[in-house]
Amino acid sequence: MHARAKLLLLLCFISPYLSFITANFFKPFNVTYDHRALIIDGRRRMLISAGIHYPRATPEMWPDLIAKSKEGGADVIQTYVFWNGHEPVKGQYYFEGRYDLVKFVKLVGASGLYLHLRIGPYVCAEWNFGGFPVWLRDVPGIVFRTDNAPFKEEMQRFVKKIVDLMREEMLFSWQGGPIIMLQIENEYGNIEGTFGQSGKEYVKWAARMAVGLGAGVPWVMCKQTDAPEYIIDACNGYYCDGFRPNSPNKPIFWTENWDGWYTSWGAKLPHRPVEDLAFAVARFFQRGGSFQNYYMFFGGTNFGRTSGAPFLITSYDYDAPIDEYGLLSEPKWGHLKDLHAAIKLCEPALVGADSPQYIKLGSMQEAHIYRATVDAESLNSSNGSQTLCSAFLANIDEHKTVTVRFLGQTYSLPPWSVSILPDCRNTVFNTAKVAIQTSIKVAESALTLVSDGFVPKQFVAQNEGALSSWTTVKEPITVWSENNFTAKGILEHLNVTKDHSDYLWHFARIYVSDEDIAFWEENKASPEVRIDSIRDVLRVFVNGQLSDNAILASVTFLLFVPFGSQGSAIGTWVKVVQPIQLQKGYNDLVLVSQTVGLQNYGAHLERDGAGFRGQMKLTGFKNGDLNLLDILWTYQVGLKGEFLKIYAPEDTNKAEWVDLSLDAIPSTFTWYKTYFDVPAGDDPVALDLGSMGKGQAWVNGHHIGRYWTIAAAEEGCKSCDYRGAYHSDKCTTNCGNPTQIWYHVPRSWLQVSNNLLVVFEETGGNPFEISVKLRSTRVICAQVSESHYPPPHKWLRQELYGNVSSDNLTPEMNLRCEGEHIITSIEFASYGTPQGSCQKFSRGSCHAPNSLSLVSKACQGRKECNIKVSNAVFGDPCRGIMKTLAVEAKCTRSSNTGSFQY
């Protein structure tokens, strides 16, 4: 593509957002609240919020993520503010790239959405050290999150910095900006009791401090039952319909609706069915809630070493409605979109009523009715004011469909579901009836290899699309840094590394006498390294070689990852007993302690360190054990490759790379390098690192994160029933497979050709099998029956209170491909009684023979199509039977698109 064309593409992409640089996004408005809801510009609002963490995506991704959130029905975007990203060094602030908070807030405003800014500054968020900068623990006398003067001084300074920045940029609502609400602290109620009275005083101080900054919008505290009167206390959890704030003057807010869960290395993948998620949201609004946020609506990626809470994977997909790559997760996104549309139809009645009328419909069935007199202006109507009625009918029975009578009519309620009636008469949505398409995503090879010369045939991998030309360099198992130092005993890991690297090297020289050798031979024994406690990973090298025997560690706190590697212990504070082989004379003993994300949750994080705890001995010598705490150790932080930045294009030649041959793999503590061309199109790009062991990877100098191919247990995955209370282990997938093998590479980090990929491998893997993948939705399926309801967005409020046409009552099937893809073929279509599920459909005994032709005519060659599900379209293949339309379609990239997208 010519440079001029590229520039035009770039301008087309950014032009909608240029206006936000100087202009206000809204006419300035005030935000207050009463017992019922947030009051925006004098009017109560029912608000749907979408959680997006700006550093877990790139700025180039932000506009699309915000747009998809808005299209999905969100009114608000919610994000934390990440202190350690914005102040990596005390007093030195960073607001660029993925941490350009101002740009993110302005993009939200430019889209017409509001923003809820959760300053914290403690965020938890499965983020490294809970969002605290590691330098904070070195402030003299500091105790985190309590009535402690050093902590309060640092916290207030940062919170004030953010509030002042938002005010300077004119981003608060009263300035015409999108920020309608702020948050101070985060789930402090979970640990407040640890600090006794000091904890209570801290809550009062934090509230006074926050409000005293003059932001001019309401402040929230979540999970804080003793929040002061002027702070809204809010709920976090899977269900919050039973939550009530600590004052009758406060509205019911749900700041974190956990629509999925995070994932640990070696664990199964959690999944929360959309039927249950929609049920939880509908119940919340049914029972008086007014602000609900999805945590997460887009989860994204833990780039670099940002992943916290030891052993959490690089992906933060969270089973969210928008996946890690920015693709829609269907049916979750679409079903929630319909839910939001149904709730919005009810909004005039919901905000007009101070409380609902409650009616018992059965032993486990109930109705909540909202009635309000609304003026004509609110309804955009010329018919004058009206008394509106909206109702929610719930069946909380986990097993049975129940028929109920409500206001003179009969309604069938599926188990564990809520029906929404915006006019107290017509059902426009039921949480258990999913009429949205299912999207099947794939990762396909799409590689153009860049090679400096001929690649021998034996080097070409069997994996299609694999990178087959590599160079390599070994990480030295020796002291190389000029900044090394020697000290007696074992120093605390974080005190030395300051979290500038995962790795801390401990070098010692051990002398073995003839008597020791004879003693071991006579007793058929070997010396052992014994350590009371280590965290998170330990590698033991003797004379440059990883020790021969594997340690199987166990742990009683948090998590144990069942991983066995020679000379390695893995766990969260685990005991180590490692046999080693020593030779006569002097031996080089090297202990490499590693972190895999710092703790992100709990009281006294300032005390939470890494490395070693307790006693450390080298046992088995003839004259007794050697106390490793009493000897001299030489310390070295990080890897030489990290120090030289050999992963960056401008510095990669600082290493003496050599061609990699097949007989040189696998190898431990080794760097690998190759180049690749960018795949064409706009599909998201990922690296398939399933052939590797454990390590880190960089593309064009950008750190895409840690990788680890540890597999989940074979057992534990089962078919998931959405009915009944959800918990994180209820619906899991991916048993027996590596927890994560695909790693997101944002397209904005790529260039047209010669993209540098550098991998650091710790345990031994095969880089010849690494491949570049394109992530896309290739198959879409849907099943819609005559018993489904028409899409809620088809309804108008005026129609609900007038004459509803029969056409509006007809269910519809909507099929849509993403990105540059179009529907190129209909693989299956049947109107009648089709059987099975997506990619396993079959005809039933009742089938309309024109099904395939009609669906193909309506959809083929298009990005999106709609088909009414009725006999009027397909004819009636079997009278007196409820018919269903089942369709499977294939999405393929359109051929008339450019070769590279910015």
Side-chain angles (χ1 to χ4, degrees):
M1 181 179 293
H2 295 295
R4 178 180 175 85
K6 293 179 181 178
L7 179 60
L8 288 173
L9 266 178
L10 183 61
L11 288 175
C12 289
F13 175 77
I14 65 173
S15 60
Y17 308 102
L18 292 177
S19 61
F20 71 52
I21 296 175
T22 57
N24 287 347
F25 309 108
F26 307 93
K27 178 182 176 181
F29 61 95
N30 289 321
V31 181
T32 58
Y33 62 89
D34 63 10
H35 72 284
R36 181 66 183 100
L38 211 62
I39 300 173
I40 296 179
D41 199 20
R43 307 181 75 166
R44 287 175 177 171
R45 290 296 308 277
M46 297 288 108
L47 295 173
I48 302 293
S49 174
I52 299 175
H53 296 159
Y54 52 97
R56 284 174 159 141
T58 60
E60 293 78 7
M61 295 173 64
W62 293 342
D64 183 62
L65 297 174
I66 294 168
K68 286 177 176 174
S69 300
K70 182 177 182 179
E71 185 186 357
D75 309 289
V76 183
I77 300 295
Q78 182 198 87
T79 186
Y80 282 124
V81 178
F82 296 84
W83 188 357
N84 56 6
H86 292 300
E87 194 177 4
V89 178
K90 185 175 180 180
Q92 297 181 20
Y93 294 101
Y94 182 77
F95 290 94
E96 300 175 17
R98 292 185 294 112
Y99 292 93
D100 192 341
L101 174 60
V102 170
K103 179 177 182 178
F104 180 77
V105 177
K106 288 183 176 181
L107 284 170
V108 171
S111 74
L113 297 181
Y114 303 128
L115 186 86
H116 177 206
L117 196 64
R118 307 175 78 189
I119 301 177
Y122 166 74
V123 299
C124 188
E126 293 71 63
W127 190 264
N128 198 53
F129 212 41
F132 287 136
V134 173
W135 58 257
L136 190 66
R137 69 196 295 272
D138 296 328
V139 173
I142 199 165
V143 182
F144 290 3
R145 305 176 73 195
T146 188
D147 191 18
N148 171 266
F151 178 76
K152 292 192 295 183
E153 180 181 347
E154 296 295 342
M155 173 175 168
Q156 180 170 352
R157 181 177 58 81
F158 180 74
V159 175
K160 183 176 186 300
K161 172 73 176 180
I162 299 301
V163 171
D164 288 350
L165 178 62
M166 297 299 104
R167 185 188 295 110
E168 291 165 7
E169 295 288 341
M170 305 287 287
L171 294 176
F172 287 111
S173 63
W174 51 272
Q175 300 173 299
I179 299 176
I180 60 170
M181 193 160 56
L182 299 170
Q183 178 177 303
I184 193 70
E185 254 298 341
N186 186 46
E187 297 186 343
Y188 185 70
N190 292 351
I191 66 166
E192 181 179 344
T194 304
F195 299 102
Q197 186 60 35
S198 293
K200 297 180 181 299
E201 295 302 319
Y202 169 68
V203 171
K204 298 175 184 176
W205 169 83
R208 290 195 306 270
M209 181 272 290
V211 173
L213 296 175
V217 296
W219 287 83
V220 172
M221 284 182 168
C222 58
K223 284 196 170 185
Q224 196 62 52
T225 57
D226 60 350
E229 181 68 24
Y230 51 88
I231 300 287
I232 303 170
D233 58 308
C235 180
N236 292 353
Y238 290 120
Y239 306 94
C240 283
D241 55 285
F243 170 76
R244 296 296 177 266
N246 62 7
S247 165
N249 300 317
K250 300 179 184 181
I252 301 172
F253 280 9
W254 191 358
T255 39
E256 291 186 19
N257 178 0
W258 302 330
D259 52 16
W261 200 241
Y262 56 83
T263 308
S264 304
W265 298 112
K268 300 178 284 292
L269 301 181
H271 164 64
R272 187 177 184 188
V274 70
E275 296 94 332
D276 174 70
L277 179 59
F279 171 78
V281 175
R283 286 287 285 167
F284 176 73
F285 284 98
Q286 174 179 3
R287 300 183 67 188
S290 61
F291 176 93
Q292 182 269 157
N293 172 73
Y294 293 101
Y295 189 101
M296 301 295 299
F297 204 74
F298 163 80
T301 307
N302 295 311
F303 295 115
R305 299 186 305 110
T306 57
S307 180
F311 298 113
L312 295 190
I313 66 174
T314 296
S315 170
Y316 199 66
D317 185 86
Y318 221 87
D319 194 35
I322 305 174
D323 77 7
E324 176 182 5
Y325 301 91
L327 299 173
L328 300 182
S329 293
E330 297 284 27
K332 185 167 280 191
W333 182 86
H335 193 56
L336 294 177
K337 177 184 178 180
D338 283 354
L339 167 65
H340 304 153
I343 291 171
K344 291 303 179 183
L345 289 171
C346 301
E347 186 172 14
L350 293 178
V351 300
D354 282 338
S355 61
Q357 175 189 357
Y358 175 81
I359 299 177
K360 188 78 170 175
L361 301 177
S363 60
M364 303 183 77
Q365 296 76 39
E366 58 189 17
H368 289 74
I369 307 171
Y370 292 84
R371 289 188 174 91
T373 301
V374 181
D375 59 46
E377 182 182 356
S378 297
L379 291 172
N380 295 319
S381 171
S382 59
N383 297 328
S385 61
Q386 296 184 43
T387 299
L388 303 184
C389 178
S390 293
F392 297 78
L393 311 183
N395 177 15
I396 58 176
D397 191 301
E398 299 178 21
H399 306 289
K400 295 182 294 185
T401 296
V402 178
T403 299
V404 299
R405 292 283 294 175
F406 173 70
L407 300 184
Q409 296 194 76
T410 300
Y411 298 87
S412 177
L413 306 180
W416 201 253
S417 77
V418 176
S419 287
I420 299 178
L421 289 62
D423 59 355
C424 287
R425 181 179 53 188
N426 292 290
T427 301
V428 303
F429 184 84
N430 178 273
T431 59
K433 288 179 173 286
V434 179
I436 301 301
Q437 72 181 34
T438 295
S439 297
I440 307 298
K441 299 169 188 174
V442 297
E444 296 178 314
S445 297
L447 172 71
T448 302
L449 176 68
V450 178
S451 175
D452 293 330
F454 174 71
V455 181
K457 183 177 180 180
Q458 65 268 26
F459 291 178
V460 178
Q462 299 302 310
N463 180 13
E464 180 186 357
L467 298 159
S468 55
S469 178
W470 288 88
T471 54
T472 184
V473 65
K474 289 286 292 181
E475 176 68 26
I477 314 298
T478 58
V479 177
W480 54 263
S481 171
E482 295 180 356
N483 295 322
N484 74 79
F485 64 93
T486 300
K488 183 179 179 180
I490 297 294
L491 304 180
E492 200 278 324
H493 182 108
L494 285 183
N495 286 342
V496 180
T497 68
K498 306 302 181 186
D499 198 38
H500 293 309
S501 172
D502 282 355
Y503 309 90
L504 179 60
W505 300 73
H506 311 67
F507 299 91
R509 181 154 286 184
I510 307 297
Y511 181 76
V512 174
S513 67
D514 290 335
E515 290 79 7
D516 292 323
I517 297 291
F519 179 74
W520 296 332
E521 291 176 351
E522 180 181 348
N523 291 278
K524 296 181 179 180
S526 62
E528 294 177 336
V529 175
R530 291 179 172 263
I531 303 173
D532 282 355
S533 185
I534 68 100
R535 167 192 164 177
D536 300 323
V537 176
L538 170 66
R539 311 288 185 198
V540 181
F541 290 88
V542 178
N543 298 322
Q545 299 297 316
L546 203 58
S547 294
D548 294 334
N549 299 316
I551 299 170
L552 296 179
S554 61
V555 67
T556 57
F557 173 66
L558 281 182
L559 168 73
F560 166 60
V561 179
F563 175 76
S565 178
Q566 292 188 341
S568 307
I570 291 90
T572 306
W573 296 118
V574 296
K575 183 177 182 179
V576 170
V577 179
Q578 172 66 61
I580 60 174
Q581 298 295 321
L582 299 175
Q583 61 190 23
K584 178 184 175 182
Y586 286 99
N587 294 260
D588 292 326
L589 175 64
V590 181
L591 306 180
V592 185
S593 60
Q594 287 179 235
T595 53
V596 189
L598 301 184
Q599 184 59 41
N600 73 311
Y601 176 79
H604 296 295
L605 282 181
E606 74 282 352
R607 300 180 189 174
D608 194 73
F612 307 104
R613 284 182 179 175
Q615 295 299 309
M616 296 177 58
K617 296 180 180 180
L618 188 55
T619 65
F621 288 84
K622 181 177 180 180
N623 294 327
D625 298 341
L626 176 63
N627 189 342
L628 297 180
L629 302 179
D630 290 338
I631 67 173
L632 291 175
W633 292 90
T634 298
Y635 288 87
Q636 179 176 279
V637 176
L639 308 169
K640 185 176 182 180
E642 284 181 308
F643 176 77
L644 295 176
K645 297 183 179 179
I646 65 174
Y647 49 78
E650 62 272 17
D651 294 311
T652 190
N653 290 330
K654 290 180 180 179
E656 296 181 359
W657 300 95
V658 298
D659 290 339
L660 177 65
S661 61
L662 287 175
D663 57 10
I665 57 174
S667 181
T668 60
F669 275 59
T670 302
W671 295 84
Y672 300 105
K673 181 179 77 169
T674 193
Y675 293 88
F676 64 95
D677 288 349
V678 68
D682 68 348
D683 290 332
V685 179
L687 286 177
D688 183 346
L689 297 177
S691 65
M692 303 304 287
K694 179 184 182 297
Q696 301 179 49
W698 294 259
V699 173
N700 292 333
H702 297 279
H703 194 175
I704 67 170
R706 302 182 183 96
Y707 67 83
W708 200 353
T709 51
I710 184 170
E714 294 279 354
E715 65 282 346
C717 293
K718 55 185 179 181
S719 59
C720 178
D721 189 337
Y722 76 88
R723 298 172 296 182
Y726 179 79
H727 53 83
S728 61
D729 295 323
K730 180 180 179 182
C731 303
T732 54
T733 63
N734 203 48
C735 284
N737 297 315
T739 306
Q740 183 178 359
I741 61 171
W742 294 314
Y743 295 81
H744 185 202
V745 184
R747 278 192 172 265
S748 60
W749 292 358
L750 297 171
Q751 54 201 26
V752 175
S753 61
N754 293 316
N755 293 283
L756 172 66
L757 169 61
V758 175
V759 176
F760 175 68
E761 172 60 42
E762 299 172 21
T763 64
N766 181 5
F768 289 115
E769 292 291 333
I770 293 176
S771 59
V772 178
K773 303 285 190 181
L774 288 179
R775 298 278 298 177
S776 65
T777 299
R778 295 301 304 273
V779 175
I780 54 177
C781 301
Q783 284 180 286
V784 181
S785 79
E786 294 177 298
S787 67
H788 281 96
Y789 306 109
H793 66 269
K794 293 283 187 179
W795 295 86
L796 298 175
R797 289 191 184 121
Q798 297 94 319
E799 289 179 333
L800 285 167
Y801 292 91
N803 295 319
V804 179
S805 69
S806 60
D807 189 57
N808 276 356
L809 298 175
T810 304
E812 285 187 12
M813 175 181 289
N814 175 265
L815 298 172
R816 184 171 76 165
C817 298
E818 278 205 73
E820 299 174 342
H821 294 252
I822 60 173
I823 299 171
T824 52
S825 65
I826 303 299
E827 304 294 306
F828 178 89
S830 177
Y831 177 74
T833 57
Q835 307 296 312
S837 58
C838 188
Q839 296 185 299
K840 297 179 181 177
F841 286 135
S842 62
R843 293 181 183 178
S845 57
C846 172
H847 167 72
N850 60 356
S851 301
L852 183 61
S853 61
L854 288 176
V855 174
S856 297
K857 182 179 179 180
C859 300
Q860 202 159 312
R862 297 175 178 170
K863 183 181 180 65
E864 183 175 5
C865 62
N866 296 283
I867 309 157
K868 290 190 177 294
V869 181
S870 73
N871 294 333
V873 175
F874 294 94
D876 190 349
C878 41
R879 295 183 181 278
I881 295 178
M882 181 74 68
K883 267 78 70 178
T884 295
L885 174 63
V887 176
E888 177 184 327
K890 185 176 181 180
C891 295
T892 306
R893 183 172 175 268
S894 176
S895 59
N896 58 355
T897 56
S899 60
F900 185 71
Q901 300 294 318
Y902 285 88

